[in-house]
Amino acid sequence: FSHSEIQIKKGDTVVWTNRDSVEHSIASDSGNEVNSKLLSNGESYSHTFGNVGIFEYHCTVHLSMKGKIIVE
């Protein structure tokens, strides 16, 4: 969540890595484009975006943690 908004190209893969001492997750605000398990420190989750659009997501543990991926 350190980059709250990024722009990528269709077909690019985004990797989230938890570098915090508490667990976090990645979940789509609507739909299920991204949906990780709880990630402990050092664990990663990746997703390849095959569709153009804006994908907003949050941490299911810490609802104030949000992000946005713009796929062109």
Side-chain angles (χ1 to χ4, degrees):
F1 295 94
S2 63
H3 293 95
S4 61
E5 181 176 313
I6 63 170
Q7 287 185 273
I8 63 171
K9 300 287 186 206
K10 179 180 172 183
D12 285 352
T13 299
V14 175
V15 179
W16 292 264
T17 302
N18 184 0
R19 303 243 185 257
D20 199 356
S21 60
V22 297
E23 292 182 324
H24 295 287
S25 68
I26 309 298
S28 295
D29 285 359
S30 60
N32 60 358
E33 185 72 24
V34 294
N35 187 22
S36 76
K37 67 178 185 89
L38 284 177
L39 303 174
S40 297
N41 182 284
E43 290 187 313
S44 296
Y45 169 75
S46 65
H47 181 77
T48 301
F49 287 83
N51 296 313
V52 172
I54 296 174
F55 301 92
E56 296 183 284
Y57 62 92
H58 62 278
C59 173
T60 59
V61 179
H62 308 97
L63 298 178
S64 64
M65 298 178 75
K66 300 178 182 217
K68 181 190 301 186
I69 299 174
I70 302 166
V71 183
E72 302 175 330

